[in-house]
Amino acid sequence: YSHEAQDIMLRLDDTIGNFLDQLDKRFGLNNLLIVLTADHGVSPIPEYAQAHNLGGGRIDGLALKAEMEKLLVKEFGKVGNDKYILALINHQFYLNEELIKEKKLSLTQISEFLGQEAAKTKGVSAFYTKERILTGRMPDTDISRRIMAGYSNERCGNVFLLVEPFVLIAEAEDEYVGTSHGTPYHYDTHVPIIMMGSQVKPGVYKEACTPSDIAPTLANLLSVEAPSGSVGRVLTEALK
């Protein structure tokens, strides 16, 4: 929605065009199978969404983190110079698990308390704890399935905040302006899958698909086994 965004797209188009020209000269495009996709979409700037009656807003994540720390101290006691919350990153609270274990406190109880308090914040729709996500104790919705599919036990936080549509959490000082991504909503997850090659059937296909379908589709075309971690399907509707 800005001249800067338009400039990025024009430059990207030029870059892809030059890349395809080089491939054509070296191999011939008829000898190639090309797939283009993206890893995520992007949210409109919250102020833009509000101006167009889409709702949305910007949560002060630094203030939220500080307020939640105070509530945890009040509920579970002081912990010296340490903190219960290590970080708020990508809408996720990372708790000091070693400290909580050392103090013989309940990680489950603290996670639930933190989620319940954070969910009172304007712009936060719901929360999901690590325990709920890993055990599948989630609502039977597409949003929940997306959250579970993107959750890593080793890398993700203890409490995941689901914001309302077009709401961002500013988790650093440089995030009080601009936009970001990371929610399970359509505008953040809708990406293209464009395929070009002699084995591709020209057309526009409306069947549901995801980038995880690319690997098994390429494996099928190459007559090899799909990768061991593959969870997608072969896009047979787009193949000759």
Side-chain angles (χ1 to χ4, degrees), residues 149 193 208-220 224-237 239:
I193 296 180
C209 63
T210 77
S212 62
D213 297 328
I214 295 173
T217 299
L218 295 180
N220 176 267
V224 299
E225 288 290 332
S228 59
S230 175
V231 295
R233 67 181 181 88
V234 177
L235 299 173
T236 53
E237 65 271 20
L239 304 180

Side-chain angles (χ1 to χ4, degrees), residues 7-61:
D7 181 69
I8 290 173
M9 294 307 299
L10 289 172
R11 292 175 186 271
L12 175 62
D13 181 74
D14 188 56
T15 298
I16 293 174
N18 290 333
F19 179 56
L20 293 177
D21 288 341
Q22 293 300 317
L23 291 176
D24 192 20
K25 291 177 182 178
R26 186 168 181 179
F27 304 106
L29 291 181
N30 290 332
N31 299 315
L32 298 175
L33 174 63
I34 297 169
V35 182
L36 175 68
T37 189
D39 62 335
H40 60 78
V42 68
S43 171
I45 293 175
E47 293 76 14
Y48 178 93
Q50 290 177 325
H52 290 76
N53 299 317
L54 297 175
R58 197 183 301 269
I59 298 172
D60 188 334

Side-chain angles (χ1 to χ4, degrees), residues 76-136:
F76 298 99
K78 295 182 179 180
V79 287
N81 294 324
D82 292 317
K83 293 183 179 296
Y84 286 102
I85 302 173
L86 295 177
L88 172 58
I89 303 174
N90 294 331
H91 299 187
Q92 300 169 66
F93 283 109
Y94 288 77
L95 290 170
N96 192 337
E97 294 187 14
E98 291 186 6
L99 173 69
I100 293 171
K101 183 178 180 180
E102 179 184 320
K103 297 296 182 180
K104 297 182 179 180
L105 298 171
S106 169
L107 180 61
T108 297
Q109 186 178 0
I110 291 176
S111 298
E112 289 288 342
F113 176 82
L114 175 58
Q116 290 169 7
E117 293 300 320
K120 297 176 183 178
T121 305
K122 182 180 179 181
V124 176
S125 175
F127 76 94
Y128 305 100
T129 64
K130 180 178 184 177
E131 184 177 342
R132 288 196 209 176
I133 296 172
L134 293 180
T135 57

Side-chain angles (χ1 to χ4, degrees), residues 138-150:
M138 302 279 283
D140 185 19
T141 65
D142 186 51
I143 293 293
S144 294
R145 285 187 285 273
R146 293 180 184 184
I147 292 173
M148 289 189 289

